[in-house]
Amino acid sequence: MKIVALVKQTFDSEAKVVLGGGKISRQGISLIMNPYDEYAVEEALKLKEKHGGEVTVVTVGPDEATEAVRQALAMGADQSILVNPGTEDIDEYTTATILAKAVSGLEYDLIIGGFRAIDDGSAQVAGRVAEILNLPVVNMVTKLEVDGGKAVATSDIEGGSAVMEVPLPVVITAQKGLNEPRYPSMKGIMQAKKKPLKKIGLGDLGLDASQVAAKVKVLNYSLPPARAAGKIIPGEPAEAAAALAKALREEAKII
Amino acid sequence: MNFKLTEEQELLRKTVRDFAENEIGPKAAEMDEKEDYDWSLWDKMAEMGLTGIVFPEKYGGAEMDYISYALATEELARVDASSSVVIAAHTSLCSWPIYAFGNEEQKQRFLVPLAEGKKLGALGLTEPSAGSDAGAVKLSAVPDGNDYILNGTKAFITNGGKGDIYVIIVSTDKAKKHRGTAAFVVEKDTPGFTFGKKEHKLGIRASYTYELVFENCRVPKENMLGSDGEGFKIAMAILDGGRISIAAQAVGIAQGAYEQALAYSKIREQFGRPISANQGIQWMLADMHTRIEAARLLTLHSAYLRDAGQPHTEESAMAKLYAAECSMWVTVKAVQIFGGYGYSREYPVERMMRDAKITEIYEGTSEVQRIVIANSILR
Ligand SMILES: Cc1cc2nc3c(=O)[nH]c(=O)nc-3n(C[C@H](O)[C@H](O)[C@H](O)COP(=O)(O)OP(=O)(O)OC[C@H]3O[C@@H](n4cnc5c(N)ncnc54)[C@H](O)[C@@H]3O)c2cc1C
Ligand SMILES: Cc1cc2nc3c(=O)[nH]c(=O)nc-3n(C[C@H](O)[C@H](O)[C@H](O)COP(=O)(O)OP(=O)(O)OC[C@H]3O[C@@H](n4cnc5c(N)ncnc54)[C@H](O)[C@@H]3O)c2cc1C
């Protein structure tokens, strides 16, 4: 089975975001593989272990995104492609167009990515890739079985879940709960540096900047207001509870 | 000069950090409280290959360098000192001498399962009456046909009780003192080899420390590492590498405590402002950070020398001495910054301060490190 895993490098979820010059500052921020993409890579590896085949990791990002790619290789992926778009001004259209182009040059039975990235949280990219490649897509998958040319996927839907059957090739997006991503092993880390990591640019894919230029422009970023200090309600338990209920109703207006 | 870690070293550090925080961290306080190790963690570390970091792939290892080993040890200790000594004793004290002094058959028999984490290793050097003076070991090994008969006691043995494979330093000829010593590999359940008392300790309480008792224990000659007479030499070679891992452990404990104190100082308010607004606290934090960085550089430098195949007895002694004293100093300050809460088991700095102390004692006390360094510079 040939599996393509789509991976994005994101800010660490614990990173403190600072704005500077209308942009999110990258300074002093540690970068990680998008956690939903870790589920995707893990699932790809499990399928490979079960059915044989190979896993190719594809990412769009700056050169430093090699760290996330190496992590996927150290987990057990076989090869990887990093496409550097040459600019930071990209949107979901840019990313999906590049990914689809890169993936279209590969053999695949299944394409899997995270259902969203924890940084911009748009949850669009994998779906757009499916659209461009004219493939079916199942989103927010928490359980996946692949056999006999079809996939059976359990997908999160509002208030419950749905079990869906779909022919291969298909695009799957991973939701939390799909699996427990493995830690790269020490041997895996050593092997990762020997595995192919193809760094390419738009030109190598036959694309030029105008074809992938972002359609959406961010006008302004803002941080949420600082959380106000907590409030301690003193007094006897019965009185304090009454005061709390009153505050929740009248001040916070949440009950 | 190049102070940059390689991409693999960075990935290893991050991987071990994530593993330690997610898998070990939630258990550290309870393991300390119960004086017991959760050995399911060992299985997970084995799966990741943390049980054989520095050994060649053909012996079941990951074939990484000592810098990587030091980084991994530091990351484990940053979260749980006990976990780091389980790995350090297993790797440096037991697996390494089999790798360095064992013949091919011994490596296949003992090193491979150790590196793969299928077996747990330990070293028996210290005896009730031979601690700092390790050359004075009395545990006797008397030849008998193709075997040796072992009699005597080892004290304070890390991974004792649970360990499967023990490197035991014995005396084969009392008259020759440390030149009349040898190193044997003894497996658990060998008749005549039993465990004495388990130590109840100040720190690293999750790590097992046992007495080993040998009563007419018959060990085949083929289990001897190197040749007769080399026991003390092997022990000293073990400590050259082992001290790097203890230095890394000390750095990790200090780093963990420092990070806790730094975060706490920013949220704890007294006199209407965070305590970190006071210069007294700021200078403590600045000194902690500086000393840790110095200790880390000494540690990585000694690891670098070892990787480069250069002598490092003096450097690993300096790293271990400085890092251990740094760790004790930093953890005391961390408790101080936490005030009354630092003295309570509710916060990890209390455990870290207890854990730090051992780094000034095992694999040569701080006094012994100074002896090693002085011998080297006055030679
Ligand atoms: C938790 C724990 C785990 C351990 N794990 C292991 C293990 O796995 N394997 C193993 O073999 N051993 C192990 N040890 C033993 C450890 O290495 C010894 O405790 C250590 O070497 C000190 O020996 P000692 O306890 O006999 O102290 P002593 O040698 O009696 O020292 C007592 C004091 O005298 C000082 N001193 C001694 N000689 C001199 C001198 N010449 N000049 C100045 N001061 C001196 C020492 O520095 C120390 O302060 C462990 C110990 C502990 C506590
Ligand atoms: C075992 C134990 C028994 C106790 N028994 C009693 C008792 O019987 N009765 C009782 O009332 N209390 C008792 N206490 C409380 C004890 O007196 C307090 O813990 C102590 O006064 C410190 O206060 P704190 O813990 O809130 O630390 P904090 O006041 O939060 O201090 C934290 C750190 O900030 C430093 N700091 C604070 N302000 C400044 C500043 N302006 N400049 C520089 N540094 C500053 C402190 O020195 C400390 O290092 C006990 C505490 C313990 C641990």
Side-chain angles (χ1 to χ4, degrees):
Chain A
M1 221 184 141
K2 307 238 187 226
I3 306 163
V4 174
L6 308 178
V7 163
K8 180 183 187 183
Q9 187 180 49
T10 62
F11 286 4
D12 190 337
S13 44
E14 278 157 32
K16 192 166 172 235
V17 172
V18 179
L19 298 182
K23 284 196 170 151
I24 298 168
S25 163
R26 298 180 75 86
Q27 232 179 7
I29 295 278
S30 65
L31 300 164
I32 59 168
M33 189 196 305
N34 176 37
Y36 292 97
D37 300 350
E38 282 193 10
Y39 301 129
V41 171
E42 175 64 29
E43 200 62 17
L45 295 173
K46 282 170 107 171
L47 288 170
K48 174 183 127 175
E49 281 156 9
K50 194 163 165 200
H51 301 283
E54 58 179 27
V55 175
T56 305
V57 172
V58 184
T59 191
V60 170
D63 279 349
E64 60 194 350
T66 43
E67 277 172 37
V69 175
R70 286 271 186 233
Q71 183 184 333
L73 293 173
M75 286 169 79
D78 300 282
Q79 58 201 19
S80 58
I81 301 172
L82 183 154
V83 191
N84 188 335
T87 166
E88 277 181 37
D89 295 322
I90 61 174
D91 68 355
E92 292 80 2
Y93 166 78
T94 314
T95 307
T97 307
I98 298 172
L99 282 174
K101 186 81 183 180
V103 172
S104 66
L106 305 170
E107 285 179 58
Y108 53 82
D109 301 299
L110 188 119
I111 299 170
I112 186 165
F115 99 84
R116 68 182 181 99
I118 59 162
D119 48 6
D120 52 32
S122 73
Q124 293 185 29
V125 170
R128 283 172 173 266
V129 169
E131 182 64 25
I132 299 169
L133 297 174
N134 200 19
L135 296 175
V137 57
V138 184
N139 274 322
M140 298 179 82
V141 170
T142 55
K143 187 166 185 274
L144 182 65
E145 303 276 355
V146 176
D147 217 357
K150 62 181 200 294
V152 177
T154 306
S155 160
D156 262 8
I157 55 172
E158 184 63 34
S161 59
V163 181
M164 307 194 200
E165 188 183 294
V166 58
L168 303 184
V170 60
V171 175
I172 298 285
T173 72
Q175 163 68 312
K176 190 175 164 90
L178 179 59
N179 52 45
E180 267 304 317
R182 70 196 64 189
Y183 296 96
S185 73
M186 301 303 111
K187 279 184 198 172
I189 291 172
M190 294 306 275
Q191 281 157 9
K193 72 174 166 192
K194 295 175 204 143
K195 292 180 178 172
L197 196 167
K198 211 161 95 185
K199 286 190 197 178
I200 57 175
L202 293 180
D204 301 298
L205 291 173
L207 293 170
D208 65 52
S210 67
Q211 284 170 287
V212 300
K215 297 192 186 277
V216 174
K217 194 168 165 222
V218 177
L219 298 179
N220 175 29
Y221 286 104
S222 60
L223 293 171
R227 202 153 14 120
K231 190 169 170 181
I232 294 172
I233 297 174
E236 289 300 309
E239 288 163 27
L244 173 64
K246 187 163 182 269
L248 287 173
R249 185 173 296 123
E250 291 171 13
E251 284 172 46
K253 296 192 169 66
I254 54 173
I255 56 171
Chain B
M1 270 221 148
N2 183 357
F3 283 104
K4 199 169 151 29
L5 296 179
T6 65
E7 211 175 79
E8 293 79 48
Q9 289 161 347
E10 290 282 8
L11 181 54
L12 161 126
R13 180 193 270 284
K14 177 184 173 296
T15 300
V16 181
R17 174 168 294 208
D18 287 349
F19 171 78
E21 285 179 354
N22 298 335
E23 312 292 327
I24 303 178
K27 296 180 169 166
E30 193 188 336
M31 295 195 298
D32 171 68
E33 191 69 34
K34 291 192 171 154
E35 293 187 73
D36 200 359
Y37 198 69
D38 180 341
W39 292 99
S40 72
L41 292 173
W42 170 262
D43 297 334
K44 290 183 182 175
M45 292 194 283
E47 200 176 312
M48 283 173 70
L50 290 172
T51 50
I53 298 176
V54 291
F55 304 108
E57 263 191 61
K58 65 172 176 173
Y59 297 123
E63 215 163 321
M64 288 178 155
D65 53 16
Y66 264 73
I67 293 198
S68 301
Y69 175 46
L71 294 171
T73 307
E74 179 190 330
E75 290 301 332
L76 292 174
R78 174 176 164 272
V79 169
D80 178 38
S82 290
S83 291
S84 71
V85 76
V86 170
I87 291 290
H90 166 85
T91 305
S92 290
L93 305 188
C94 180
S95 310
W96 184 78
I98 296 170
Y99 169 63
F101 297 96
N103 56 37
E104 187 57 30
E105 197 235 309
Q106 290 168 333
K107 286 181 206 175
Q108 292 299 337
R109 237 176 99 201
F110 303 122
L111 178 58
V112 171
L114 284 166
E116 289 176 345
K118 296 196 176 103
K119 300 257 164 103
L120 174 68
L123 167 73
L125 170 62
T126 304
E127 296 182 5
S129 58
S132 297
D133 187 7
V137 291
K138 285 203 296 219
L139 194 144
S140 68
V142 177
D144 182 50
N146 280 330
D147 302 327
Y148 278 77
I149 312 286
L150 272 54
N151 275 293
T153 305
K154 292 291 179 187
F156 292 117
I157 306 310
T158 300
N159 290 346
K162 183 76 182 175
D164 305 289
I165 293 175
Y166 297 78
V167 170
I168 305 294
I169 308 298
V170 302
S171 165
T172 48
D173 187 344
K174 298 223 156 48
K176 289 195 196 153
K177 296 189 181 153
H178 69 272
R179 289 201 178 80
T181 54
F184 276 99
V185 180
V186 184
E187 291 176 88
K188 190 180 188 177
D189 295 331
T190 303
F193 169 29
T194 54
F195 303 114
K197 71 171 167 149
K198 179 179 179 178
E199 296 293 338
H200 297 285
K201 309 189 296 287
L202 172 72
I204 55 164
R205 283 156 46 104
S207 141
Y208 291 19
T209 315
Y210 268 84
E211 205 173 57
L212 313 181
V213 181
F214 296 85
E215 286 166 309
N216 293 322
C217 174
R218 186 173 282 275
V219 179
K221 185 170 191 310
E222 68 198 38
N223 281 22
M224 189 188 283
L225 295 176
S227 49
D228 196 355
E230 288 192 318
F232 184 72
K233 184 189 104 180
I234 292 174
M236 291 305 108
I238 290 172
L239 295 177
D240 281 348
R243 283 169 186 158
I244 299 174
S245 64
I246 301 307
Q249 178 189 37
V251 171
I253 298 169
Q255 178 70 27
Y258 158 73
E259 286 176 29
Q260 295 284 336
L262 178 66
Y264 184 79
S265 73
K266 294 194 260 189
I267 56 166
R268 174 67 173 171
E269 292 196 4
Q270 289 289 287
F271 303 103
R273 56 185 194 160
I275 56 170
S276 64
N278 301 299
Q279 201 173 51
I281 298 286
Q282 291 173 1
W283 286 15
M284 263 197 255
L285 289 166
D287 285 343
M288 291 159 87
H289 188 45
T290 305
R291 290 191 191 197
I292 292 168
E293 197 55 31
R296 182 178 291 121
L297 289 173
L298 280 173
T299 303
L300 293 178
H301 180 237
S302 60
Y304 160 83
L305 289 173
R306 189 174 176 90
D307 288 330
Q310 292 178 33
H312 54 280
T313 303
E314 178 190 330
E315 286 79 3
S316 65
M318 291 197 295
K320 199 252 183 198
L321 168 65
Y322 186 80
E325 294 192 344
C326 159
S327 195
M328 199 65 241
W329 187 86
V330 165
T331 53
V332 169
K333 292 296 180 206
V335 168
Q336 188 63 23
I337 289 174
F338 269 80
Y341 300 92
Y343 200 74
S344 154
R345 295 222 165 155
E346 237 171 273
Y347 290 91
V349 289
E350 179 268 348
R351 169 171 52 85
M352 291 166 166
M353 179 177 144
R354 288 185 286 105
D355 287 347
K357 184 63 205 175
I358 191 60
T359 63
E360 294 183 323
I361 297 172
Y362 58 18
E363 299 205 24
T365 62
S366 289
E367 293 71 32
V368 166
Q369 306 308 325
R370 288 186 167 89
I371 294 173
V372 172
I373 298 161
N375 282 346
S376 169
I377 55 183
L378 292 168
R379 190 170 43 197

